[in-house]
């Protein structure tokens, strides 16, 4: 040890990495994991290695500051150990099927993986130490964890001949009480009217008609559902009409009034819920309303969690049904706020926050909006690439995507688009710096 202290820092860094790979070990017994199991792996720099374990000195259940990104489709995983700082002291890493242990100096911490995640330690490879990130390690899984349950999506949850109650997602106020739907039908694609001319040998019979639900109908769109207003009341926002000179013009007053009066807002919290399509039809956005069967208890969800889940569901369903993976997210004012590219939808994230020292580099992925139930959090998620388009950012790319038939437009309330942009930004900053960007896009996860 005295010899190592007199060597230059470059050699110390190399010795630390080699120590993590298994070339250097304090004692022969340190290669043996607790209970006699040996955690072994492979590195491109060594034909074979055994990562050390500190046995009984580990504090089981303590979070070792790790991020595990699992792909179900390929049964592969990327492990990032955030606490590892080889420039300060050597780090020993032990990877077992159900846990990861990290030893640095006299401290030792362990993170127990969820029951559905079982690693294959012998497949460990690609060990890297990145400044500001920690240690990166790739491995395979023993078996794929169960997939995300999408059977309870908002589309599948609406059934005919069932009484429902509509709640405002923001404040929980009841919007519609005991509404029974006789029919729950999906709306055709957005270009259905233009395609009718190709189907018929005579003029379009639907040219002057629109699809409006009757009282017992519920029509499902990509990001909204249409219901007959019936006897329900809503609160339109008061229009504010003024010109630069301070005088009102009848034309501007009429145009603004007609536009603002279509907004449907919650009576209690004044949050925008949707808009009126006709005198008897209301469009509710799925990010603003919670629908539950009558007689059940209302179970509110954190706003961030709800938005992430609903947007992720929309992206997954559309990518599966229409084989499209690029989306423009527009506000109710028609402006594009976000460009999203769905990268994969089979991700399982396992994250432990570790010590507070890890927060000096980047924030914990388990953010305050979606707290985990224990020291190790697990989330089903979709991985996306995105670009913000506020304040004329990425205007050329946004114009190109808007004119591309392979890009699917999604419409949400403007306030929701801004909330989602904030959520994406927080997700990006929570990732290790080396994983935050891909080409010119930013990387983020939306938890389901």
């Amino acid at each position: 040890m005295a010899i190592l202290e007199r060597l230059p820092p470059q050699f110390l860094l190399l010795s630390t990495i080699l120590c993590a790979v298994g070339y250097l070990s304090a004692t022969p017994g340190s290669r043996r994991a607790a209970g006699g199991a040996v955690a072994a792996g492979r590195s491109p720099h060594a034909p074979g290695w055994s990562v050390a374990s500190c046995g009984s000195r580990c504090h089981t259940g303590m979070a070792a500051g790790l991020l595990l990104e699992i792909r179900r489709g390929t049964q592969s995983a990327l492990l990032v150990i955030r606490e590892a700082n080889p420039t300060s002291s050597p780090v020993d890493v032990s990877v077992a099927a159900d846990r990861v242990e990290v030893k640095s100096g006299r401290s030792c911490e362990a993170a127990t993986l969820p029951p559905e995640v079982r690693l294959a330690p012998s497949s460990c490879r690609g060990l890297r130490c990145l400044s500001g990130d920690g240690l990166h390690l790739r491995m395979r899984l023993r078996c794929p964890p169960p997939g995300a349950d999408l059977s309870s999506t908002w589309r599948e949850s609406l059934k005919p001949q069932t009484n429902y109650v509509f709640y405002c997602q923001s404040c929980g106020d009841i919007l519609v009480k005991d509404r029974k739907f006789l029919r729950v039908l999906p709306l055709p694609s957005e270009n259905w009217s233009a395609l009718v001319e190709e189907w018929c040998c005579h003029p379009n019979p639907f040219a002057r008609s629109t699809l409006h639900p009757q009282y017992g109908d519920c029509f499902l769109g990509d990001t909204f559902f249409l219901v007959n207003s019936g006897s329900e009341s809503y609160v339109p926002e008061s229009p504010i009409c003024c010109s630069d000179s301070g005088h009102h013009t009848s034309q501007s007053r009429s145009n603004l009034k007609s536009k603002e009066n279509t907004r449907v807002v919650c009576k209690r919290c004044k949050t925008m819920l949707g808009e009126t399509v006709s005198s008897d039809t209301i469009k509710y956005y799925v990010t603003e309303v919670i629908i539950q069967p009558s007689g059940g208890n209302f179970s509110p969800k954190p706003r961030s969690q709800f938005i992430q889940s609903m947007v992720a569901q929309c992206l997954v369903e559309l990518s599966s049904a229409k084989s499209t993976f690029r989306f423009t997210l527009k506000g109710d004012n028609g402006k594009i706020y976000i460009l999203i590219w769905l990268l994969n939808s089979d991700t399982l994230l396992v994250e432990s926050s570790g010590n507070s020292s890890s927060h000096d580099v980047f924030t914990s992925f388990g953010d305050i909006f979606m707290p985990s139930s224990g020291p190790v959090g697990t989330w089903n998620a979709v991985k996306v690439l995105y670009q913000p388009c506020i304040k004329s950012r990425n205007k050329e790319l946004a114009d190109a995507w808007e004119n591309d038939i392979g890009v699917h437009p999604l419409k949400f309330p403007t306030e929701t688009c801004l909330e989602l942009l904030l959520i994406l930004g927080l997700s990006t900053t929570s990732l290790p710096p080396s994983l935050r960007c891909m080409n010119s896009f930013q990387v983020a996860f939306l938890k389901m």
Side-chain angles (χ1 to χ4, degrees), residues 71 311-329 338-346 382-387 401 404-410 441-442 444 446:
R71 292 290 309 277
V311 173
Q313 288 180 33
C314 292
L315 299 180
V316 172
E317 291 181 5
L318 288 171
S319 65
S320 176
K322 301 184 178 182
S323 297
T324 181
F325 302 93
R326 292 182 296 162
F327 305 88
T328 57
L329 270 64
I338 314 173
L339 306 178
I340 289 186
W341 196 323
L342 178 62
L343 203 57
N344 62 63
S345 56
D346 62 346
V382 298
K383 189 175 185 178
V384 299
L385 308 179
Y386 72 97
Q387 288 281 20
W401 279 35
D404 191 335
I405 60 174
V407 178
H408 191 81
L410 297 177
F441 284 79
Q442 300 181 64
L446 293 176

Side-chain angles (χ1 to χ4, degrees), residues 13 16-17 19-21 65-67 78-86 90-93 102-103 126-138 432:
L13 177 59
T16 302
I17 298 178
C19 180
V21 178
L66 62 85
L67 171 65
L78 169 64
L79 174 64
V80 180
I81 303 174
R82 295 170 160 175
E83 297 292 328
N85 186 11
V91 176
D92 292 334
V93 180
V102 180
K103 177 184 177 183
L127 180 66
R128 296 187 302 161
C129 178
L130 299 180
S131 177
D133 280 21
L135 294 177
H136 288 230
L137 185 64
R138 293 190 177 275

Side-chain angles (χ1 to χ4, degrees), residues 31 52 87 90 106 144 214 297 405 407 421 429:
R31 292 175 179 267
T87 59
R106 295 183 178 180
Q214 301 300 314
N297 295 325
I405 60 174
V407 178
L421 189 57
T429 57

Side-chain angles (χ1 to χ4, degrees), residues 368-409:
I368 59 174
F369 299 111
M370 294 187 67
S372 60
S373 57
V376 178
T378 306
W379 297 274
N380 293 305
V382 298
K383 189 175 185 178
V384 299
L385 308 179
Y386 72 97
Q387 288 281 20
C389 297
I390 58 176
K391 297 182 179 180
S392 300
R393 294 181 59 183
N394 302 299
K395 187 178 185 305
E396 293 184 1
L397 183 60
D399 293 341
W401 279 35
E402 190 171 20
N403 297 323
D404 191 335
I405 60 174
V407 178
H408 191 81

Side-chain angles (χ1 to χ4, degrees), residues 261-280:
N261 279 342
T262 63
R263 293 169 60 93
V264 178
V265 301
C266 175
K267 295 179 181 180
R268 177 189 290 177
C269 65
K270 308 305 179 183
T271 298
M272 178 182 175
L273 307 172
E275 54 191 82
T276 56
V277 178
S278 66
S279 59
D280 60 352

Side-chain angles (χ1 to χ4, degrees), residues 222-224 262 272 275 283 285-287 314 328-335 408-414 416-417:
D222 292 338
T223 62
F224 62 89
T262 63
M272 178 182 175
E275 54 191 82
K283 174 197 290 186
Y285 289 104
V286 297
T287 54
C314 292
T328 57
L329 270 64
K330 296 183 177 181
D332 57 272
N333 55 7
K335 295 181 180 180
H408 191 81
L410 297 177
K411 183 180 178 181
F412 295 99
T414 299
T416 302
C417 292

Side-chain angles (χ1 to χ4, degrees), residues 29-91:
S30 65
R31 292 175 179 267
R32 186 171 302 276
V38 176
R42 293 176 178 262
S43 168
H45 305 292
W49 54 276
S50 299
V51 287
S53 172
C54 34
S56 59
R57 287 184 296 164
C58 276
H59 299 281
T60 303
M62 292 182 62
L66 62 85
L67 171 65
L68 188 64
E69 179 187 350
I70 297 173
R71 292 290 309 277
R72 292 186 176 89
T74 58
Q75 298 186 36
S76 59
L78 169 64
L79 174 64
V80 180
I81 303 174
R82 295 170 160 175
E83 297 292 328
N85 186 11
T87 59
S88 60
S89 60
V91 176

